[in-house]
Each structure stands twice: as structure tokens, then as C-alpha cells.
């Protein structure tokens, strides 16, 4: 086993990598819609059959190995589980799909991939460069597949026999114009993408070390351990298992500072770095399937006025009095003032019925400080303080740290 590397980063190692990196070399691109906040993971029983003997490596060398990896061909199975301390989004995700109603297209990736934000899932993935990817979510007797091949993106829900289709001009895929479909890069929550986010955040508030070795999906790997030096963060540590041969992250584990099971734990149960068969990226709508074009969904939304409403909602953001960041590193807290001074109804104000007030109180904890009073809403990673005078403080920090940030802002 490689000995622990106790050197702590001052941001120089990560800065060197980030400054030189190219997005295509940092992630294996997957044509899937983005999911807020990386949110999938691997069950703890993932193949871990011992600690292999590997040559010594420093934290900086291991980070550079990740950055230098240009492996864009692979196939495999990812076992995922997420415990963020929030209710399952499976039944609600469709409500946020384009068009605004659940069921308009059960094959739309915007809704389907939100299911990965909670629970346990098994995925099959395949990639052959930036223009060919496939992701399948396996259910009990059903399967959802998202296929990107050139300028076409197909989503298929076998349970409802519905198909979603979008076209993307090659010139627009990397950037795109407002309102036009574009193929996003990066499968939400792949170990490599999650590792990129964690390493980009590393700085002088972060300790980055090599924490031995492991076997993941039958492959030898180094373990990169990322921990905050500061107290007050809800994040205890991030561990990335990096393939010793290719430099591809195979497993990503985010442990909350409160203890217990991992909040986010992502990795492969099997992986193959040879070129996948071309048939993996071909798709023809099954006979009798309902096919919905992305342009049709947008046109329907325009017809119903939901697009106009969305534009008005975005316009309301202009009322925000700016975003202020309090603190730095892992203890950074975003302070936002809501448009119009919107706030939670004050307890006993009579603005809401007593039963409704009890429900609102049950959602969070009442707190007070120099800032005044408000309610803290908690998950295992991200907490938010909504003050009674319409300010919001959000961060991956504890309740006490939120209150201190609110006090400091006054």
C-alpha cells in the first residue's frame, strides 16, 4: 500500500491543474441534461477486495494524473445511492419538466434525471468520444435510456413507451444560444465530474492527501482524500478513488461532518475502457411509441403562456439586491435579499391558519441572533436560513455558522 501523503495543498497544485485543464480531458462527456448539484452515488458494497501495492505518489502528482487523463471511450455499470436528507423527487420531478406538467413527456431527461437526486439506482453507461454517449437507468421491469449520437439526443421511457427527441447543431453544442437546445457536457454525478468540482474548490482552506489504495470495479486505484481545514462545514470529507493506470476517477464519496452513511457516493461496479460497439449509440423509436420533439414542448409552453411566466419570473430576479458571499472556502455563505422583502409569516401574526403555521414550523427550526429571527431549513449538506425580514443565507455549513454569517451581515 502506498503510504499516506500528509502534504496539504495551498491551492498551488490545484491551480496548476485548473489553469491548464481542458473540459474534454477532465470529464468523459455524456449527453444528458444537467441535474442541480451532483447527486448520485455508489452503495458501500461496491467491489472493494483489498488494498493493492502501488508505487508511491504525491497528492499533486495524483491530481495531475486526473487532469492528464484523456480516456473518452468506456462502458460499464454504476451503482448509485444518494442520501441528502430530502424527500424522494421521483414523483415530483415531472412537475418541473418543460411545459410545466407531469406526464407531458415522461421521456424528457429534465424530469427523469432528477430521480437520481435521491435513493438508490443502477446505471449503465457507454461513451465513445464527445459525440456518442448512452446512459440507461434500470428500474424494476423498466428502463430509461438517454442516447446521444451526433446531432441527435433521444430519451426513451420503456414503462410509458414514450420517446423524447432533440436536435442540436454541432456548432451550438458547446455553447448554444439562449432558448435553443444544446447538448450539455458531463453526466451528472459521474465520479470524474464530481472529482473535478471538488478539486476546483480546493484552496488554502483545504487539505488534500493520498490516503492509501483500494480496488474498485476490479481495478487498482489510489485514494485522494479532500478535507476542509475549517470547522463549521457540513462536509466532512471527499474521497476520490483514481484508477492507477488511466487516471480516471472510479469512485467518489462525500461524507457529511455529522457522520452516518455517505451523502453522495458515486462509482463503477464494472468498467471497460475499450471502444464500445457502435450499436450502443443507435436508436430507433419502437413501434407504437409516442414521440415528442423538444421543439414541440417549447411551442406548447409558449402557447400555454408558461414561457412568458418564466420570463417574468426571471425578470423578478432583477429585484434582487445582489448576491453577497460571506466567508470563504468551505464556510462560504451566500446572502440574498428576496424580491419585495418576501419572508416567512411571523409566528402568531394571524397571516396564516394555525394548522398551516404548525406545518411551516415543522419544516425548520426557529432561530434568533443579532440579525433578528428566522427559520433554518436543513438537509445533510446544504442549510438555508430565511429571516423574518426577507433575507436568505445559504451554504454547506452548520446552523450555528449560518446564524454567525447572518449576524456578521448586519
Amino acid at each position: 500500500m502506498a503510504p499516506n501523503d500528509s502534504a496539504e495543498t495551498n491551492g498551488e497544485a490545484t491551480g496548476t491543474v485548473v489553469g491548464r485543464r481542458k473540459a474534454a480531458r477532465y470529464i468523459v462527456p455524456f449527453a444528458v441534461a444537467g441535474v442541480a448539484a451532483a447527486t448520485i452515488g455508489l452503495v458501500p458494497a461496491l467491489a472493494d477486495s483489498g488494498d493493492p501495492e502501488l508505487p508511491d505518489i504525491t497528492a499533486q502528482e495524483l491530481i495531475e494524473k486526473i487532469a492528464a487523463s484523456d480516456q473518452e471511450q468506456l462502458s460499464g455499470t454504476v451503482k448509485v445511492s444518494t442520501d441528502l436528507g430530502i424527500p424522494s423527487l421521483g414523483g415530483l420531478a415531472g412537475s418541473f419538466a418543460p411545459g410545466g406538467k407531469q406526464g407531458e413527456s415522461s421521456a424528457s431527461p429534465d424530469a427523469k434525471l432528477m430521480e437520481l437526486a435521491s435513493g438508490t439506482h443502477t446505471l449503465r453507461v457507454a461513451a465513445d468520444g464527445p459525440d456518442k454517449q448512452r446512459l440507461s437507468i434500470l428500474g424494476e421491469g423498466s428502463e430509461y435510456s438517454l442516447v446521444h449520437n451526433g446531432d441527435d439526443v433521444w430519451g426513451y421511457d420503456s414503462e410509458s413507451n414514450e420517446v423524447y427527441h432533440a436536435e442540436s447543431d454541432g456548432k451550438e453544442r458547446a455553447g448554444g444560444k439562449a432558448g435553443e437546445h444544446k447538448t450539455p457536457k458531463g453526466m451528472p454525478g459521474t465520479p470524474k465530474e464530481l472529482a473535478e468540482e471538488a478539486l476546483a474548490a480546493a484552496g488554502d482552506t483545504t487539505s488534500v492527501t493520498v490516503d492509501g489504495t483500494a480496488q474498485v470495479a476490479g481495478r487498482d486505484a489510489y485514494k485522494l482524500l479532500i478535507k476542509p481545514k475549517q470547522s463549521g462545514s457540513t462536509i466532512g470529507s471527499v474521497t476520490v478513488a483514481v484508477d492507477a493506470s488511466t487516471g480516471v476517477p472510479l469512485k467518489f464519496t462525500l461524507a457529511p461532518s455529522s457522520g452516518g452513511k455517505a451523502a453522495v457516493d458515486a462509482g463503477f461496479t464494472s468498467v471497460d475502457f475499450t471502444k464500445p460497439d457502435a450499436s450502443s449509440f443507435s436508436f430507433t423509436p419502437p413501434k407504437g411509441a409516442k414521440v415528442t420533439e423538444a421543439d414541440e414542448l417549447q411551442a406548447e409552453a409558449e402557447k400555454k403562456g408558461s414561457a412568458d411566466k418564466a420570463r417574468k419570473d426571471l425578470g423578478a430576479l432583477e429585484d434582487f439586491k445582489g448576491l453577497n458571499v460571506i466567508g470563504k472556502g468551505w464556510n462560504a455563505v451566500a446572502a440574498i435579499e428576496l424580491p419585495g422583502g418576501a419572508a416567512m409569516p411571523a409566528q402568531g401574526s394571524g397571516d396564516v391558519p394555525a394548522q398551516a403555521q404548525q406545518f411551516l414550523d415543522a419544516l425548520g427550526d426557529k432561530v434568533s441572533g443579532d440579525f433578528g429571527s428566522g427559520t433554518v431549513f436543513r438537509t445533510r449538506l446544504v442549510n438555508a436560513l430565511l429571516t423574518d425580514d426577507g433575507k436568505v443565507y445559504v451554504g454547506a455549513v452548520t446552523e450555528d455558522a449560518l446564524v454567525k454569517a447572518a449576524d456578521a451581515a448586519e
Side-chain angles (χ1 to χ4, degrees):
M1 176 188 296
N4 290 355
D5 176 4
S6 60
E8 295 184 344
T9 181
N10 60 3
E12 180 179 348
T14 303
T16 300
V17 173
V18 174
R20 296 188 289 112
R21 75 179 184 229
K22 295 181 180 179
R25 292 169 63 84
Y26 231 116
I27 61 173
V28 177
F30 285 83
V32 296
V35 177
T39 52
I40 68 172
L42 172 72
V43 293
L46 178 66
D48 187 352
S49 56
D51 300 339
E53 293 287 343
L54 294 173
D56 292 354
I57 191 171
T58 68
Q60 179 168 336
E61 289 171 338
L62 189 52
I63 292 172
E64 291 176 348
K65 191 177 186 71
I66 297 172
S69 175
D70 58 0
Q71 186 74 45
E72 291 188 337
Q73 295 178 332
L74 64 79
S75 58
T77 302
V78 180
K79 197 94 173 192
V80 305
S81 66
T82 307
D83 184 4
L84 302 179
I86 58 177
S88 172
L89 299 175
L92 299 175
S95 299
F96 303 99
K101 283 188 178 181
Q102 184 175 354
E104 286 195 352
S105 176
S106 65
S108 172
D110 295 348
K112 201 67 180 180
L113 295 179
M114 281 295 290
E115 295 179 10
L116 301 181
S118 61
T120 299
H121 306 270
T122 299
L123 313 180
R124 289 197 185 121
V125 298
D128 184 9
D131 291 326
K132 292 182 179 181
Q133 302 91 28
R134 183 184 189 106
L135 179 150
S136 297
I137 304 174
L138 308 183
E140 295 183 6
S142 64
E143 180 176 322
Y144 175 78
S145 294
L146 193 59
V147 181
H148 171 215
N149 193 337
D151 292 338
D152 292 299
V153 177
W154 297 93
Y156 176 60
D157 183 8
S158 67
E159 187 173 19
S160 63
N161 199 28
E162 290 193 23
V163 174
Y164 167 92
H165 178 239
E167 293 183 356
S168 174
D169 179 76
K171 296 180 180 179
E172 297 298 333
R173 273 202 297 273
K177 298 178 181 179
E180 293 185 0
H181 174 80
K182 58 182 178 180
T183 302
K185 289 184 177 181
M187 184 182 79
T190 58
K192 196 164 191 179
E193 188 177 56
L194 290 170
E196 174 193 4
E197 295 296 327
L199 291 172
D204 59 6
T205 62
T206 306
S207 165
V208 182
T209 61
V210 177
D211 190 32
T213 64
Q215 269 211 343
V216 178
R219 298 186 65 89
D220 292 348
Y222 293 101
K223 293 192 297 183
L224 189 68
L225 180 64
I226 305 169
K227 298 179 68 174
K229 295 179 182 179
Q230 304 161 298
S231 61
S233 174
T234 55
I235 298 174
S237 66
V238 171
T239 303
V240 183
V242 182
D243 187 87
S245 176
T246 65
V248 173
L250 300 174
K251 181 180 179 182
F252 175 101
T253 304
L254 191 158
S257 58
S258 59
K261 64 184 294 188
V264 179
D265 198 17
F268 289 93
T269 56
S270 65
V271 64
D272 185 347
F273 291 113
T274 60
K275 181 183 177 71
D277 191 276
S279 62
S280 300
F281 313 108
S282 62
F283 180 82
T284 301
K287 184 178 180 180
K290 176 186 176 182
V291 180
T292 301
E293 297 289 339
D295 291 344
E296 293 176 5
L297 286 177
Q298 183 175 351
E300 186 67 19
E302 294 280 356
K303 183 178 179 181
K304 293 181 178 180
S306 55
D308 290 336
K309 181 181 183 299
R311 280 192 288 270
K312 290 178 181 178
D313 290 342
L314 289 175
L317 294 178
E318 296 177 359
D319 293 335
F320 275 72
K321 297 181 179 180
L323 174 66
N324 181 34
V325 178
I326 303 170
K328 68 175 184 176
W330 302 81
N331 286 0
V333 173
I336 307 168
E337 187 163 343
L338 295 177
M344 290 284 289
Q347 189 171 13
S349 64
D351 293 339
V352 294
Q355 288 184 330
Q357 184 65 56
Q358 290 177 358
F359 174 73
L360 291 173
D361 291 342
L363 293 177
D365 293 335
K366 297 294 291 185
V367 295
S368 61
D370 294 341
F371 70 89
S373 60
T375 304
V376 172
F377 301 93
R378 294 192 307 269
T379 70
R380 297 185 72 204
L381 291 184
V382 179
N383 294 329
L385 166 60
L386 176 57
T387 69
D388 292 340
D389 60 354
K391 295 183 178 67
V392 179
Y393 299 90
V394 183
V397 298
T398 62
E399 179 178 306
D400 288 343
L402 275 182
V403 172
K404 289 180 180 178
D407 287 343
E410 293 300 313

